[in-house]
Amino acid sequence: MSGTNFTLIMELVLLGFSDLPNLQGFLFGVFLVIYMIILIGNGLIIVITKVDPGLQTPMYFFLGNFSFVEICYTSVTLPRMLMNLLTQNRHISLVACAVQLCFFLILVVTECLLLAVMAYDRYVAICKPLYYPVIMSHKVCVHLVIGSWITGIPVVIGQTYHIFSLPFCGSNKLNHVFCDMPPVVKLTCGNTFVNEFSVYADAVLFALIPFLLILASYVKIIMTILKMSSTIGRYKLFSTCSSHLIVVILFFGSGLVVYFRPKSNHIEGLNKVFSLFYTIVTPMFNPMIYTLRNKDVIGALRKLILN
């Protein structure tokens, strides 16, 4: 940077939906309702998987933890978005942006790994049913959940520190709805190659690889189900796995599009839409997907409401 004049930036401006000035109040109402649905829907799943005796199995143990992660990582982004829409003050300090990015990435990594763990649980239950109680013991389940939470923490903290150790110069306008890694890296100057490469490396390590492991699990699951002679049995097993598979497609599909699309200014608007999809829309629909297609969960909800 020797000989280059630039203004050191100490805060960013989250542009968000500033290009829609007449819809700020409407968007605030929509996102507030969505946030309440996420909290209530996922909160109910956490409660019933803890208190209902019929749901004390590894599958529902993972589902309860998954719903907790959904609440956490949505709470990292949505309240700030609501405040920006309400006050029209879109400024965010670099420290606040770094904290938001760090927690957001940790929780996204946790969600990716938990989805892979849930796929492995279904694989063992369907492909190795006789060994299921031994392989998926409570101790193993707890270790898998803890591993999902802590695996990405050192990498994400180091990544965040490295990004924010670079100077932010030129424009301080972040064309996004929250502090996500690709748009933040775009505003840094100096030698950003390492950060840009690490964006893709992290996406491969913590998103693409778990996604491929999930696909491999479901290939084996589907092959096992198709070999069954009972039509009713095949339908029950497909029904058990379909909810998780729908969530996987929605979450990973939108997330991988954001991180693996080629860099281009004219698609930044699309990236914002896809980011909203995997950070807000899927957490809102996940409780519905799991409850509407699961008789056990519906029964537990009825007992909880009636009691």
Side-chain angles (χ1 to χ4, degrees):
M1 296 303 293
S2 177
T4 302
N5 292 324
F6 64 90
T7 302
L8 189 63
I9 293 172
M10 298 304 296
E11 67 175 12
L12 302 176
V13 179
L14 286 167
L15 294 181
F17 302 99
S18 58
D19 55 337
L20 302 171
N22 297 327
L23 295 178
Q24 300 298 295
F26 172 75
L27 290 173
F28 174 82
V30 170
F31 288 131
L32 180 60
V33 170
I34 290 174
Y35 189 42
M36 297 305 297
I37 291 173
I38 291 171
L39 294 179
I40 294 171
N42 286 284
L44 282 173
I45 288 182
I46 293 171
V47 171
I48 63 173
T49 54
K50 289 293 183 183
V51 302
D52 192 276
L55 302 183
Q56 303 307 305
T57 63
M59 181 174 72
Y60 295 110
F61 173 73
F62 293 134
L63 179 57
N65 281 277
F66 180 74
S67 293
F68 178 69
V69 174
E70 296 268 76
I71 290 175
C72 290
Y73 98 89
T74 304
S75 298
V76 170
T77 57
L78 252 179
R80 182 90 196 192
M81 286 172 55
L82 291 171
M83 185 184 71
N84 292 348
L85 287 168
L86 184 64
T87 64
Q88 299 299 302
N89 179 13
R90 298 183 175 87
H91 293 265
I92 182 171
S93 68
L94 289 184
V95 173
C97 188
V99 171
Q100 185 185 61
L101 176 62
C102 186
F103 278 101
F104 174 73
L105 291 178
I106 288 172
L107 291 163
V108 168
V109 169
T110 302
E111 179 143 348
C112 291
L113 296 178
L114 263 181
L115 285 170
V117 166
M118 293 167 76
Y120 175 69
D121 172 70
R122 291 299 83 208
Y123 161 75
V124 176
I126 293 172
C127 300
K128 299 182 178 181
L130 296 178
Y131 299 98
Y132 182 72
V134 177
I135 297 175
M136 301 304 294
S137 65
H138 181 69
K139 184 178 179 180
V140 171
C141 293
V142 171
H143 287 168
L144 288 172
V145 168
I146 293 174
S148 299
W149 273 95
I150 67 174
T151 297
I153 291 177
V155 176
V156 169
I157 291 177
Q159 175 86 46
T160 305
Y161 173 78
H162 195 268
I163 290 174
F164 284 87
S165 65
L166 288 173
F168 285 73
C169 52
S171 174
N172 69 334
K173 295 180 179 178
L174 187 66
N175 190 14
H176 210 61
V177 291
F178 60 91
C179 291
D180 201 359
M181 192 154 52
V184 170
V185 169
K186 189 176 179 180
L187 294 183
T188 59
C189 55
N191 183 14
T192 61
F193 171 77
V194 174
N195 281 333
E196 291 175 351
F197 174 77
S198 63
V199 169
Y200 295 102
D202 287 352
V204 169
L205 182 62
F206 295 118
L208 186 59
I209 290 178
F211 179 65
L212 293 176
L213 291 174
I214 292 169
L215 288 184
S217 297
Y218 273 102
V219 167
K220 294 184 178 182
I221 288 170
I222 291 171
M223 290 175 62
T224 301
I225 292 175
L226 291 177
K227 291 178 182 178
M228 296 180 63
S229 58
S230 171
T231 304
I232 297 176
R234 286 202 299 267
Y235 173 79
K236 285 183 178 179
L237 292 179
F238 272 124
S239 179
T240 301
C241 298
S242 60
S243 298
H244 179 254
L245 194 56
I246 292 170
V247 171
V248 166
I249 293 171
L250 290 175
F251 178 78
F252 280 101
S254 55
L256 291 174
V257 165
V258 171
Y259 278 80
F260 286 104
R261 285 180 74 99
K263 292 191 295 182
S264 176
N265 289 330
H266 72 275
I267 62 170
E268 286 183 347
L270 278 178
N271 285 343
K272 281 195 284 188
V273 172
F274 281 114
S275 296
L276 286 175
F277 201 83
Y278 73 82
T279 57
I280 296 175
V281 177
T282 53
M284 178 180 66
F285 283 114
N286 286 351
M288 303 177 198
I289 292 171
Y290 279 111
T291 55
L292 293 177
R293 302 183 62 84
N294 192 309
K295 294 180 179 178
D296 294 334
V297 175
I298 292 174
L301 278 173
R302 284 177 180 169
K303 286 193 289 183
L304 181 66
I305 293 171
L306 293 175
N307 292 337

